[in-house]
């Protein structure tokens, strides 16, 4: 059953990410100056984290499964196939986000605590969201960043409630205002 599901996933990924003669037209917008992507980590079954969650211990966290790992690889392949150069790959310190970021294989991955989940403790939501927008606003317009984080972080920044592995393409003005350009779910 798992092998059939994985086969279906790979075929579905190819169909969803392809168009006749090229890459996904929504994804191609990531190549536009000043455009960045914020991505909810790939599929990690469950919700939240176990009660014994410890930041540095992946055995205490909800992690990617085989489908999630394949999803992360497929997303990265679609970005590379579209010819998009990524200058910065930033990730939350949670294991499922860091693994997603590494499996994208878009470049060196940098941990960014501002992308850590605030699902359990919303007291840092505003500060983290402001810091994320400020970090993107400070990048030169010719540089592209891909941020890998959690649903709550994506929603706080963009107003979008993303599915696992969904990318939200955005721009951030000098004033920190976020403009959502599009969404793309390359695979489920």
């Amino acid at each position: 059953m798992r092998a059939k599901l994985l086969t279906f996933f790979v075929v579905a990924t190819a169909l969803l990410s392809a168009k006749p003669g090229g890459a996904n037209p929504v994804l191609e917008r990531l190549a536009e100056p000043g455009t960045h992507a914020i991505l909810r980590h790939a599929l990690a079954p469950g919700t939240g984290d176990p009660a014994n969650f410890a930041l540095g211990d992946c055995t205490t966290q909800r992690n990617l499964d085989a489908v999630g790992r394949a999803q992360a690889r497929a997303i990265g392949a679609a970005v590379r196939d579209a010819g998009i150069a990524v200058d910065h790959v930033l990730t939350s310190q949670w294991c499922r986000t860091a693994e997603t970021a590494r499996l994208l294989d878009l470049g060196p991955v940098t941990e960014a605590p501002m992308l850590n989940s605030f699902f359990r403790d919303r007291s840092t939501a505003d500060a983290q969201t402001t810091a994320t927008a400020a970090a993107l606003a400070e990048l030169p317009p010719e540089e592209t960043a891909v941020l890998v984080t959690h649903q709550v972080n994506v929603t706080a920044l963009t107003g979008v409630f993303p599915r696992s592995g969904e990318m939200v393409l955005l721009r951030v003005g000098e004033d920190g205002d976020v403009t959502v350009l599009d969404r793309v779910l390359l695979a489920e």
Side-chain angles (χ1 to χ4, degrees):
M1 176 67 177
R2 193 136 178 104
K4 287 182 184 179
L5 181 61
L6 190 55
T7 300
F8 171 76
F9 173 79
V10 171
V11 171
T13 298
L15 293 174
L16 289 171
S17 64
K19 70 172 185 175
N24 182 301
V26 174
L27 186 60
E28 289 176 346
R29 294 193 71 185
L30 187 55
E32 295 172 5
T35 302
H36 308 287
I38 188 165
L39 166 72
R40 181 179 181 184
H41 59 77
L43 186 64
T47 303
D49 284 294
N52 66 335
F53 170 86
L55 188 59
D57 184 354
C58 294
T59 65
T60 67
Q61 299 181 33
R62 184 164 58 94
N63 293 295
L64 302 183
D65 64 3
V67 174
R69 286 188 290 278
Q71 182 185 34
R73 287 184 192 102
I75 294 165
V79 171
R80 290 188 305 279
D81 289 349
I84 297 166
V86 175
D87 301 289
H88 308 278
V89 180
L90 305 176
T91 183
S92 143
Q93 295 173 304
W94 267 239
C95 295
R96 60 185 171 271
T97 58
E99 184 176 17
T100 298
R102 285 190 307 274
L103 292 172
L104 292 173
D105 193 25
L106 297 174
V109 176
T110 303
E111 288 185 354
M114 66 192 174
L115 297 174
N116 287 351
S117 177
F118 45 78
F119 182 77
R120 280 189 176 169
D121 178 6
R122 307 288 171 132
S123 68
T124 62
D126 289 343
Q128 286 180 240
T129 302
T130 299
T132 300
L136 290 174
E138 290 172 4
L139 291 177
E142 68 276 6
E143 292 184 7
T144 300
V146 172
L147 286 61
V148 183
T149 188
H150 308 268
Q151 173 271 311
V152 292
N153 302 69
V154 175
T155 302
L157 185 68
T158 67
V160 172
F161 191 103
R163 296 174 72 177
S164 294
E166 185 173 4
M167 277 185 166
V168 178
L169 304 182
L170 57 90
R171 289 194 181 119
V172 181
E174 291 177 14
D175 56 2
D177 285 345
V178 174
T179 301
V180 173
L181 303 173
D182 222 324
R183 300 166 66 167
V184 62
L185 180 62
L186 298 169
E188 288 190 72

